[in-house]
Amino acid sequence: GFYYFTASVPAFDSIILRRAETIEGLATAEEKVIWRKHAEGPMGAHIWAPEIHYIDGKWYVYFAAGESRRIWNIRMYVLENASANPLEGDWTERGTIKTQWESFSLDATTFVHRGVRYLAWAQRDPAVRHNSDIFLAKMDSPLTITGAPVRLTRAELPWETKSLKVNEGPAVIVRNGRIFMTYSANRTDGDYAMGLLTADENADLLDPASWRKSPEAVFISNDRTSQYGPGHNSFTTTPDGKTDVIAYHARDYEKVIGDPLKNGDRHTRVQPFAWNPDGTPNFGRPGEPPAGAQR
C-alpha cells in the first residue's frame, strides 16, 4: 500500500527514506535518516546510490561507500531491517558484497527471474583502463553472490564514451517475453544518458551472448524541458499496475562547473513510459512522456 523512496543526499553522508501512498506524495513525505556514515574507516565517505528492496520478509538497502581516508576506495554494502515498516525498527549493517575483485564497485540492484535471484552492479576491472563495467551474478542470499560473475557491457559505443568510459546504474524490467536492463553512461553532466540491454526471457542470463546492446542511447538530455543528464533509473507502476513508470535523476542545467561528482544538484523525476509495437520500451524524453503513456 506504499511507495518507498531513497536516493543519494547532496552531502553524500547518510541514507534517507520516505514513504507515501502515491508517487506524487513522495515529494512532500517526511524524510527519515535511517543510517549515517562512519566517522572513520570503511563506510566513511561518498555514501552513494542507495536502493531499497523487500526480500523474504525483510527490508534491505544496497548502497556504495568509500573510506574516510581513502574516499575512492568504494565498495557495495548492505543494511537489513526486519520491521514491517522500514521507517521503524533497527537497520543493521550486514557488511560488503564480495565480488570477483577488490576494486571500485557500486550501484547494486537485485531482481528475480524464474525463481533465481540475481545481482547486477558496476565495477572497475583492475586489468583494464576503464572506469566501470556492468556485471551480473546469481545470489545465494540477499547478502552474497555465488558462482562466477559475468560482464554484460563495457563503455565502447560513441555515445557511451563522449566524456568518460563508464557503464553503471543497472535497472531491470521484464515484459513481453524479454528482460530489459537499462544502464547509464558518461560523466554525470549533460552527457549522462541511458542505454539498454535486452535478453530473451528463456535465455541463459549468465551468458553475455544472450544480451544485445542497443546501438544508441534510449533516454537523453532534453533542451525543451531543461532536463539534462538523465540516468540511474528505477522502475515501478501506477497503483493499479496498468502504467509503467520510470524514476530517474537529472539536472536543470547542462554545463557543470568543476567535477560533476562533487555537485549534488541532481533531482529525482518520475514519468510514465510506453511500449513500442515490437515490445521494446519507449521512454520518450525527460519531461516528455511518449504518446500512449498514461499520466
Side-chain angles (χ1 to χ4, degrees):
F2 292 94
Y3 288 92
Y4 294 88
F5 170 79
T6 186
S8 301
V9 301
F12 304 142
D13 64 353
S14 58
I15 296 175
I16 58 89
L17 191 60
R18 302 181 189 186
R19 80 169 186 172
E21 294 181 347
T22 65
I23 295 175
E24 293 82 1
L26 291 172
T28 56
E30 181 181 356
E31 187 170 279
K32 180 177 181 180
V33 175
I34 63 169
W35 182 88
R36 295 185 185 277
K37 72 175 184 177
H38 291 193
E40 292 291 337
M43 295 186 282
H46 283 161
I47 310 305
W48 285 348
E51 187 168 302
I52 187 168
H53 292 266
Y54 189 66
I55 304 171
D56 299 332
K58 295 182 179 180
W59 295 95
Y60 294 89
V61 168
Y62 299 90
F63 67 101
E67 299 180 14
S68 58
R69 299 181 186 275
R70 297 189 296 173
I71 62 175
W72 296 107
N73 209 32
I74 291 174
R75 302 290 185 271
M76 300 178 292
Y77 296 88
V78 189
L79 304 176
E80 181 184 78
N81 188 338
S83 300
N85 179 356
L87 278 76
E88 299 174 350
D90 297 322
W91 283 94
T92 303
E93 296 174 4
R94 298 303 305 271
T96 59
I97 298 178
K98 296 295 185 181
T99 66
Q100 71 276 41
W101 302 303
E102 281 291 335
S103 67
F104 181 96
S105 53
L106 72 172
D107 294 354
T109 191
T110 182
F111 66 99
V112 174
H113 182 58
R114 296 191 169 172
V116 177
R117 180 167 294 281
Y118 295 89
L119 187 80
W121 72 98
Q123 187 163 10
R124 177 174 294 154
D125 182 343
V128 180
R129 291 183 61 85
H130 270 66
N131 291 84
S132 61
D133 307 327
I134 291 179
F135 293 85
L136 184 70
K138 289 183 179 180
M139 303 188 81
D140 54 5
S141 81
L143 308 174
T144 55
I145 64 173
T146 183
V150 297
R151 179 188 293 109
L152 298 187
T153 175
R154 169 173 289 166
E156 298 170 320
L157 299 174
W159 79 264
E160 296 176 299
T161 57
K162 291 174 65 177
S163 54
L164 203 62
K165 292 183 178 180
V166 165
N167 278 180
E168 62 185 14
V172 171
I173 186 169
V174 182
R175 292 286 190 279
N176 305 325
R178 279 165 282 186
I179 299 174
F180 300 99
M181 181 183 291
T182 54
Y183 65 94
S184 300
N186 288 305
R187 194 182 303 273
T188 56
D189 54 16
D191 288 337
Y192 207 54
M194 276 171 40
L196 184 67
L197 302 174
T198 304
D200 186 272
E201 66 178 359
N202 297 313
D204 176 4
L205 301 188
L206 294 176
D207 180 357
S210 298
W211 295 86
R212 182 184 64 82
K213 180 189 287 193
S214 296
E216 301 293 339
V218 294
F219 203 50
I220 62 175
S221 295
N222 190 352
D223 289 324
R224 289 189 297 272
T225 60
S226 297
Q227 291 194 31
Y228 298 95
H232 201 162
N233 73 289
S234 295
F235 295 112
T236 186
T237 69
T238 52
D240 60 10
K242 294 181 178 180
T243 302
D244 289 308
V245 173
I246 182 172
Y248 61 97
H249 65 59
R251 301 183 187 274
D252 293 332
Y253 47 88
E254 183 176 13
K255 301 299 181 183
V256 178
I257 298 174
D259 185 352
L261 284 179
K262 296 180 180 179
N263 183 315
D265 193 17
R266 287 181 278 172
H267 304 283
T268 304
R269 330 283 177 127
V270 180
Q271 69 183 41
F273 66 96
W275 296 89
N276 296 312
D278 65 359
T280 58
N282 181 348
F283 299 116
R285 296 286 293 273
E288 295 182 324
Q294 300 177 24
R295 291 184 179 273

